[in-house]
Amino acid sequence: MSQTRFSAVALMWLAAGLPLAAQNQVFVKRGTPQREGRAWTEIAECGGAAREGGRLVVRSDLGSVTVKPQGSGRVACHVRIRAFTPNLEQAERLFRGYELGAHTLDDGSMMISATLPSEHPWRRALSVHFDITTPKKYNLDIRTSAGDLIIGDLDGELKGDTLGGDVQVGDVTGPVRVETKGGDIDLGLVAGRLEAQTAGGSIHARQVNSDAVMETSGGEIAAGTIAGSVSAVTAGGDIILRGAKGPLRAETAGGQIRIGNCGSSVRAETVGGNIRLQGARGVVEAETAGGSIDLFRVESAVRAETSAGRIFVEISGNRETFAASHLANSVGDVDVFIPPDLPLSVDAAIEQAFGHRIASDFPNLRCEGRQIALPRRVVRLEGGLNGGGRILRIRTIMGDIQIHSADSPALQQMRQRQEAFWNQWSEYWNSHCKVRETKEDKPE
């Protein structure tokens, strides 16, 4: 090759290479202030090339963040900054004080940062919104001191934190950890582990394919099926969980608890409200200070306590699965449904039996046991069914105790009402999720 031809090829290669290098560079471009109504607006752009499976880190002192994962190999950030002042000079000073940066971290992640001076008036005078697009297969780590987080469907891991705003997330294939100090959390299908926490709002998750931890200081917790373990705790609100395969813990300081079918143990506790369980294969503990307890299809040990309300328990275990159980009520009836062939021993008592009684559908249990009126008007029934077995202890201070056979028509009617509730809730939940998806797809 001649020297002239070699030089020409080198120049062509260099010319082709320069734009590519420019595209790979992380950049920030600030705009010119424009008047919009009561405010001045500056549009800034930042971003750079991004590989699939990479990570974006956002740290902002102020602003809502919207992320739309797409198919492109770039991160593109459109920042809308508004200064609420009629004075252009003051607006420019505010814009200059808002520092926007972008760079690459040591691990290859891209970072977008936005900082404000510490003076409080700056936060009242500015509003910021980040509109970001990333590759579909990507990981996000976003933190803002004030604003909403809106994340589309993501093939990756999500960490999101805001000190003041709502969190709305689409379907995510990886683990999700989101937190807000003041807002609601609304999630789609989470394929990995979920950790969601808010200091003041509700938590909704359409479905979780792993473990889930959901905590709020004041709001409702509702979720579809959860494939792992569950911890759902609220200081003031209802808890509605369609079901879980792993151990489940649900606690509220003031609300109802509704739980579907569970494949393991269940612990449900409320200070003031009813507890309803569709079924559980493991140990069940249910406690309320003021409400009724309805437990269907309990296969193992059960402990249920209420101070005021009815206790209903359907025992569906067998000789191998059923374990010693205790039902206690202060003021209210206790109804128990037992399989006719289950061997167990019954110890039932009413402490103040003025006008109250113990009744049983089982002739053998009635014959083997005895109902005794003690000096303080205590009525007690002790006996064995099918030769006796693990003990079922039942106590109420003021109320009736009825021990039914599981083939009773009354149980079938109660089951139908329970199924009707979950059918209606499923229709509502599906409708809620469709409305949510429609809002996500609606252009701004």
Side-chain angles (χ1 to χ4, degrees), residues 246-264:
L248 184 149
R249 168 177 167 247
E251 295 182 9
T252 173
Q256 315 289 323
I257 297 178
R258 289 269 194 174
I259 303 170
N261 286 314
C262 296
S264 185

Side-chain angles (χ1 to χ4, degrees), residues 34-46:
Q34 302 291 330
R35 185 68 175 175
E36 287 188 357
R38 298 182 298 107
W40 291 89
T41 300
E42 178 188 332
I43 303 298
E45 306 286 344
C46 58

Side-chain angles (χ1 to χ4, degrees), residues 119-334:
E119 293 88 345
H120 186 68
W122 284 75
R123 298 181 183 275
R124 294 199 302 263
L126 286 177
S127 75
V128 182
H129 183 83
F130 293 81
D131 195 348
I132 303 172
T133 60
T134 69
K136 183 79 172 180
K137 188 175 183 180
Y138 216 58
N139 301 296
L140 300 177
D141 184 350
I142 301 173
R143 183 184 304 160
T144 177
S145 296
D148 297 336
L149 298 182
I150 302 174
I151 314 297
D153 294 346
L154 180 69
D155 185 2
E157 176 183 357
L158 170 63
K159 295 179 182 178
D161 191 341
T162 174
L163 294 183
D166 295 335
V167 177
Q168 184 172 321
V169 181
D171 297 346
V172 181
T173 62
V176 172
R177 184 187 180 281
V178 289
E179 181 176 355
T180 172
K181 297 298 188 295
D184 296 333
I185 297 176
D186 200 354
L187 305 153
L189 186 154
V190 179
R193 176 181 171 84
L194 169 63
E195 296 180 52
Q197 184 174 358
T198 172
S202 63
I203 299 176
H204 291 168
R206 178 161 63 87
Q207 182 178 327
V208 182
N209 291 347
S210 184
D211 300 335
V213 178
M214 298 171 284
E215 298 180 359
T216 172
S217 297
E220 174 189 74
I221 297 176
T225 55
I226 299 172
S229 63
V230 184
S231 175
V233 180
T234 173
D238 295 342
I239 298 176
I240 305 176
L241 306 173
R242 189 61 187 88
K245 290 185 178 180
L248 184 149
R249 168 177 167 247
E251 295 182 9
T252 173
Q256 315 289 323
I257 297 178
R258 289 269 194 174
I259 303 170
N261 286 314
C262 296
S264 185
S265 61
V266 174
R267 175 173 175 77
E269 183 176 349
T270 174
V271 175
N274 299 326
I275 298 174
R276 304 284 185 269
L277 171 66
Q278 191 175 19
R281 300 186 65 181
V283 175
V284 174
E285 298 177 85
E287 184 175 350
T288 174
S292 296
I293 298 175
D294 289 348
L295 308 175
F296 290 83
R297 296 184 174 92
V298 177
E299 297 186 22
S300 185
V302 55
R303 183 182 67 81
E305 296 184 15
T306 179
S307 298
R310 181 193 65 182
I311 293 179
F312 159 86
V313 177
E314 176 197 356
I315 296 173
S316 60
N318 53 43
R319 184 190 300 270
E320 287 73 29
T321 64
F322 180 73
S325 300
H326 180 76
L327 312 177
N329 197 344
S330 295
V331 181
D333 298 338
V334 179

Side-chain angles (χ1 to χ4, degrees), residues 23 25-31 43-49 56-58 74-81 98-103 110-114 129-134:
Q23 289 178 6
Q25 185 177 3
V26 177
F27 72 94
V28 174
K29 181 181 178 181
R30 300 293 292 260
I43 303 298
E45 306 286 344
C46 58
L56 173 65
V57 178
V58 178
R74 296 186 61 78
V75 168
C77 181
H78 179 92
V79 188
R80 182 183 178 87
I81 314 164
Y98 184 76
E99 297 182 4
L100 182 64
H103 61 278
M110 183 184 301
M111 181 170 185
I112 297 174
S113 61
H129 183 83
F130 293 81
D131 195 348
I132 303 172
T133 60
T134 69

Side-chain angles (χ1 to χ4, degrees), residues 65-86:
V65 180
T66 298
V67 181
K68 300 173 182 176
Q70 298 176 347
S72 66
R74 296 186 61 78
V75 168
C77 181
H78 179 92
V79 188
R80 182 183 178 87
I81 314 164
R82 303 189 72 196
F84 292 90
T85 174

Side-chain angles (χ1 to χ4, degrees), residues 281-420:
R281 300 186 65 181
V283 175
V284 174
E285 298 177 85
E287 184 175 350
T288 174
S292 296
I293 298 175
D294 289 348
L295 308 175
F296 290 83
R297 296 184 174 92
V298 177
E299 297 186 22
S300 185
V302 55
R303 183 182 67 81
E305 296 184 15
T306 179
S307 298
R310 181 193 65 182
I311 293 179
F312 159 86
V313 177
E314 176 197 356
I315 296 173
S316 60
N318 53 43
R319 184 190 300 270
E320 287 73 29
T321 64
F322 180 73
S325 300
H326 180 76
L327 312 177
N329 197 344
S330 295
V331 181
D333 298 338
V334 179
D335 294 325
V336 185
F337 289 80
I338 301 172
D341 58 349
L342 178 64
L344 56 75
S345 299
V346 175
D347 176 5
I350 305 172
E351 294 185 13
Q352 298 180 18
F354 298 96
H356 300 292
R357 67 189 183 94
I358 302 175
S360 170
D361 290 348
F362 298 97
N364 291 340
L365 179 58
R366 187 180 300 119
C367 291
E368 295 175 14
R370 62 189 186 280
Q371 192 155 234
I372 311 169
L374 299 179
R376 289 166 42 207
R377 302 290 296 174
V378 173
V379 173
R380 189 164 190 161
L381 174 68
E382 295 177 322
L385 180 63
N386 298 310
R390 294 185 176 94
I391 192 166
L392 171 62
R393 183 173 287 103
I394 306 172
R395 295 289 186 271
T396 180
I397 296 175
M398 297 177 62
D400 293 335
I401 296 175
Q402 298 191 49
I403 303 170
H404 304 278
S405 173
D407 55 14
S408 168
L411 176 59
Q412 302 306 318
Q413 294 174 3
M414 295 189 70
R415 281 180 176 174
Q416 290 173 2
R417 288 197 294 269
Q418 178 78 351
E419 294 292 340

